[in-house]
Amino acid sequence: MPRKAEGGGFSGPLSTIAVAGIALGVLVMVMAVSILRGFQGEIAGKVAGFGSHITVASYSSNADYQEHPVVVDSALAARLQAVPGVRHLQYYATKGGMVKTGEQIHGILLRGVSSGSDTAFLASCLTAGRLPSLADSAASTEVAVSATLAAKLKLAVGDKMRTYFWQDKSYRARAFTVSGIYNTDLTEMDDLYVIGDLRQVQRLNGWQPDQVGGYELLVDDLNRLDATAAAVFSELPYDLTLRTVTQEHPALFSWLDLLNSNITLILTIMCIVSAIAIISALLIMIFEKSQTIGILKTLGATGSSIRRIFLLKATRLILWGIGIGLASALALSAVQRRWQPLKLDPESYSMTHVPVELDWRTYLFVALGTLAVCLLALLLPASYISRINPAETVRKEK
């Protein structure tokens, strides 16, 4: 911490308060941005875990809300996989149906995945059993259901699940075996999706082995999702279109946009608080040292050289505040990520704890922004030095 000002003046305690104010502002700004980024990453990750960041499908599927088959084009798939920002490409298909047990009937959406699908997220969310085995040449009859569905339908790993699908003015019955139970805390998804074999969906729809619901693409950087989607769209033929994860789930991401506007307000307020704290400290230092300033001017010191002394002192206080704020934010973020003491209601927030993203860019942005705002704010009180009259200060000293 900065040393107490000589002479026991008021500027010593005020300097400490200024450092504390800047540190608090930096702490709040870093945590606000980190938590927002954490929410965005968690929500996008969970939604994409059921599918992808970008979905490419037939125009007809978007027009009448029914899934129309897309013939797998290996040349197109290679071009899409080569688009900068695309991390993985896979195929998908879905089929709506209902599950009937002795006491319950529940609507579901059977989501077909293949051996080439990225199922790491779903595997990490398993609470019992395992994901369906897709290694055999024959279509698997295993499915994974959510803990929500398992509780409603009283299903456990190993149970048979009677499922009915409507097709061509008749229904088709299938008996699946529950191989695993997962829980993502994303109620909208958990209440709907059943994970199964893509080949089962192809058979239910009466499709050929080379027909799928569409292509799914995972991206490297969610912040560049729109730019990556535009690059993907430029590669598509006329009969295919795409939708991003934000377009597929507008309600979730509108909620995140609302949080984003609140974060902007918080950043603005904290910058103002930090600026006021350092301005107050510098003004008090100048008032306390006005006689010293007068003597220095009498001895020939220029106003700019004296201003430089006070600005260097104030800059040291700013750097102390920024350093303490960044260190505190890093410590709190590490504790939250490791032990998760701050909990959330999963039904309201779709997660059990407050998510925090550790990104050095956030820390750098807040540090440089705070430093710039505070230095600009110092120009006003520093200009007061040039108005100090040496004759008046010396007369007051006598």
Side-chain angles (χ1 to χ4, degrees):
M1 288 293 291
R3 294 188 300 271
K4 184 177 180 181
E6 295 181 3
F10 186 62
S11 61
L14 190 65
S15 297
T16 302
I17 294 173
V19 171
I22 294 172
L24 179 61
V26 170
L27 170 63
V28 172
M29 287 189 284
V30 170
M31 293 304 298
V33 175
S34 298
I35 290 173
L36 173 65
R37 295 294 187 190
F39 267 110
Q40 290 175 331
E42 285 285 324
I43 294 296
K46 288 185 176 186
V47 173
F50 284 98
S52 63
H53 298 115
I54 301 173
T55 302
V56 176
S58 168
Y59 261 115
S60 301
S61 297
N62 289 273
D64 57 12
Y65 300 99
Q66 293 183 4
E67 195 165 86
H68 289 249
V70 173
V71 177
V72 174
D73 184 340
S74 57
L76 174 61
R79 292 200 306 273
L80 297 181
Q81 181 71 70
V83 170
V86 173
R87 172 170 57 87
H88 181 72
L89 181 144
Q90 60 196 31
Y91 307 111
Y92 81 97
T94 58
K95 183 69 173 177
M98 65 178 184
V99 177
K100 183 179 184 303
T101 63
E103 302 175 357
Q104 296 285 338
I105 295 178
H106 191 86
I108 63 162
L109 191 64
L110 177 62
R111 176 173 180 77
V113 298
S114 66
S115 56
S117 299
D118 185 345
T119 56
F121 168 76
L122 291 172
S124 69
C125 295
L126 286 173
T127 59
R130 55 174 174 78
L131 293 177
S133 175
L134 307 175
D136 296 338
S137 57
S140 174
T141 58
E142 295 180 337
V143 293
V145 301
S146 69
T148 304
L149 283 177
K152 288 181 178 180
L153 302 175
K154 298 181 180 179
L155 294 171
V157 174
D159 288 352
K160 292 291 184 181
M161 187 177 74
R162 298 291 299 179
T163 313
Y164 301 88
F165 302 92
W166 189 259
Q167 181 71 21
D168 297 331
K169 299 182 180 181
S170 63
Y171 67 88
R172 295 181 178 181
R174 291 289 187 276
F176 294 111
T177 301
V178 176
S179 66
I181 297 175
Y182 67 86
N183 180 33
T184 68
D185 293 317
L186 201 60
T187 307
E188 299 175 18
M189 303 296 185
D190 287 355
D191 202 40
L192 180 63
Y193 279 101
V194 170
I195 311 301
D197 193 329
L198 172 63
R199 292 167 292 187
Q200 286 286 359
V201 180
Q202 289 172 326
R203 289 184 178 182
L204 287 167
N205 286 329
W207 294 350
Q208 298 299 315
D210 63 343
Q211 291 180 312
V212 295
Y215 306 90
E216 292 183 327
L217 289 80
L218 299 174
V219 303
D220 291 318
D221 187 358
L222 189 62
N223 294 323
R224 292 186 50 81
L225 177 61
D226 291 337
T228 305
V232 170
F233 186 77
S234 66
E235 297 288 343
L236 298 182
Y238 72 93
D239 58 337
L240 296 181
T241 188
L242 65 77
R243 289 177 65 85
T244 64
V245 65
T246 56
Q247 294 169 333
E248 292 280 359
H249 305 278
L252 283 173
F253 288 92
S254 294
W255 172 59
L256 292 177
D257 288 339
L258 180 61
L259 289 178
N260 201 20
S261 63
N262 292 337
I263 295 302
T264 302
L265 179 60
I266 291 174
L267 293 178
T268 302
I269 293 174
M270 288 299 102
C271 281
I272 293 174
V273 169
S274 300
I276 292 175
I278 196 62
I279 288 173
S280 302
L282 183 58
L283 281 174
I284 295 299
M285 283 191 289
I286 292 172
F287 292 153
E288 279 195 341
K289 302 298 182 181
S290 60
Q291 294 179 352
T292 303
I293 294 171
I295 294 173
L296 289 174
K297 283 189 173 184
T298 302
L299 295 175
T302 62
S304 60
S305 62
I306 298 174
R307 277 197 302 272
R308 189 157 50 246
I309 294 172
F310 282 91
L311 288 176
L312 287 174
K313 169 70 173 177
T315 301
R316 189 164 71 90
L317 297 178
I318 295 171
L319 293 177
W320 267 105
I322 291 175
I324 294 172
L326 293 179
S328 302
L330 182 60
L332 289 177
S333 298
V335 168
Q336 178 61 21
R337 287 173 64 90
R338 177 64 179 85
W339 291 286
Q340 301 172 358
L342 299 179
K343 302 296 184 181
L344 294 174
D345 179 9
E347 293 186 2
S348 300
Y349 294 96
S350 300
M351 55 194 74
T352 58
H353 62 277
V354 175
V356 178
E357 179 187 73
L358 282 175
D359 187 350
W360 64 269
R361 291 171 295 186
T362 298
Y363 287 74
L364 181 62
F365 168 77
V366 171
L368 294 180
T370 302
L371 181 61
V373 169
C374 289
L375 289 178
L376 287 173
L378 289 177
L379 296 179
L380 180 61
S383 65
Y384 177 76
I385 293 175
S386 61
R387 301 180 183 179
I388 295 178
N389 190 324
E392 291 183 1
T393 57
V394 172
R395 190 182 306 115
K396 289 179 181 178
E397 184 177 16
K398 291 180 179 179

